Amino acid sequence: MQLVQTLVQHAPTGPKDYVSALGDGPTTQEAAPPTMSEFLQALPSRHLEPLWSRMGAMVPHSPNPVAKPYMWKYKDTLPYLSTAGEIVPEEMAERRVLMLVNPNMVAPHTTDTIYAGLQLVNPGETAPAHRHIAYACRFIISGEGFTAVEGKKMPLIRGDVVVTPSWHWHDHGNETDKPIIWLDALNLPLFTYARVHFAEGYSDRRYPSTLDNPCEWRHPWEKTQKALDAMPGSHVTYHYTTAGGKPLSTTLGVQAERINAGVMTDIMQDSSSFIYHCYEGNGYSIVESSEGVKGKFEWESGDTFAVPAWSKVQHLNSGMEGAYLVAVHDGPFLDALRLRRPA
């Protein structure tokens, strides 16, 4: 106890201070060492904390994401999104989006590393031009519209994957008579740790653009399905890539899967987390979290579900036709930092 009181009262700032605080010469009787409780109580005032008390959390035996598996049923979410389209004016919303927030976390977390949201743009509206550090991709669920990136205007059609690279001017619009809805996916959770994200608005609502189709930032569903259907096997995966064959970004990747009617896939497990979206078909996925909690998620067209890192996932197509799933994942981010754990 004497040692603890001496350290705290004298508030030493370096190794030499400890020597002076305890005396310069030998003592006739050595002070008894502090108890563990006394020792631990003295640490916070020096902004110290023992690693051994949190070793399991700091160095776990397996990946331990905070996010939990969860599904957003499109038929349940669409009424709220449609109501937002009616009562939230264009000038107030700028981006009329309902964020998909993981039940174990807060926005912007759909998983630990991926943000997702459902966006609606009404007929005649334009989502104002801006640019930001975050990388974004979107999967078109229904309706038609356009996105313009760095002056290249491209159509948005159901099933398309369209990307917005970091710090590229972009805007979205709807020149039809029906709303357009898409699923946004961004790497926003990464900026809760690396706080370097910011955005800049353009001086006008639209960035000057001309039609550019085909465009390197638009990946039409027609091409994706053609590639999937040409692959042999009852469960196949197509990886979206740039013209150079690399993932679409250094943080987020996109893939599409075909599952034949009646097929149960093998169990898959990966360090990556996934945001799955059902483009077409009916079935269910069994997702077992890293903690061993297992859930069954029945999906149909429009549904979206989160698969946290190191979850075991298995899909079953219970329909009469092939099922198609699209997934955004953080594989490129893990690979860039060499963080992926082999299964």
Side-chain angles (χ1 to χ4, degrees), residues 105-109 112-113 187-197:
M105 310 184 78
V106 298
H109 294 271
D112 290 72
T113 54
N187 56 0
L188 290 177
L190 301 181
F191 298 106
T192 62
Y193 304 99
R195 298 184 180 274
V196 296
H197 181 249

Side-chain angles (χ1 to χ4, degrees), residues 111-319:
T111 72
D112 290 72
T113 54
I114 309 173
Y115 157 91
L118 293 173
Q119 180 164 351
L120 181 147
V121 180
N122 280 319
E125 290 183 341
T126 298
H130 68 184
R131 59 183 177 179
H132 42 66
I133 298 298
Y135 168 85
C137 61
R138 54 194 51 86
F139 181 81
I140 313 306
I141 298 175
S142 67
E144 297 185 7
F146 72 85
T147 279
V149 179
E150 288 291 331
K152 297 182 178 182
K153 183 180 178 181
M154 62 201 91
L156 302 180
I157 301 172
R158 180 173 181 262
D160 288 354
V161 169
V162 178
V163 305
T164 305
S166 176
W167 209 240
H168 281 48
W169 291 113
H170 60 281
D171 51 61
H172 320 290
N174 184 349
E175 297 170 326
T176 74
D177 59 358
K178 296 180 180 179
I180 180 172
I181 298 173
W182 61 73
L183 176 70
D184 282 320
L186 291 86
N187 56 0
L188 290 177
L190 301 181
F191 298 106
T192 62
Y193 304 99
R195 298 184 180 274
V196 296
H197 181 249
F198 61 97
E200 178 184 4
Y202 189 62
S203 55
D204 295 323
R205 291 188 65 80
R206 291 292 316 282
Y207 186 86
S209 63
T210 56
L211 185 64
D212 190 76
N213 188 35
C215 179
E216 66 265 38
W217 296 308
R218 175 177 178 249
H219 303 267
W221 176 256
E222 181 181 4
K223 175 184 175 182
T224 300
Q225 182 171 344
K226 183 177 180 180
L228 284 169
D229 291 345
M231 295 179 184
S234 58
H235 174 221
V236 296
T237 301
Y238 170 85
H239 296 279
Y240 290 78
T241 62
T242 65
K246 296 182 178 181
L248 298 185
S249 79
T250 56
T251 53
L252 297 183
V254 184
Q255 66 186 45
E257 300 176 32
R258 170 178 55 80
I259 308 167
N260 286 357
V263 169
M264 171 73 83
T265 70
D266 293 334
I267 296 176
M268 299 166 284
Q269 187 178 32
D270 199 290
S271 294
S272 291
S273 61
F274 294 81
I275 305 294
Y276 269 98
H277 180 81
C278 177
Y279 171 74
E280 191 172 277
N282 299 88
Y284 63 84
S285 297
I286 302 295
V287 182
E288 182 178 345
S289 70
S290 59
E291 297 176 338
V293 179
K294 186 179 293 187
K296 179 180 179 180
F297 301 96
E298 298 184 2
W299 38 258
E300 60 186 354
S301 180
D303 292 344
T304 303
F305 59 102
V307 177
W310 208 237
S311 297
K312 295 178 181 178
V313 60
Q314 191 172 26
H315 308 302
L316 171 70
N317 178 359
S318 58

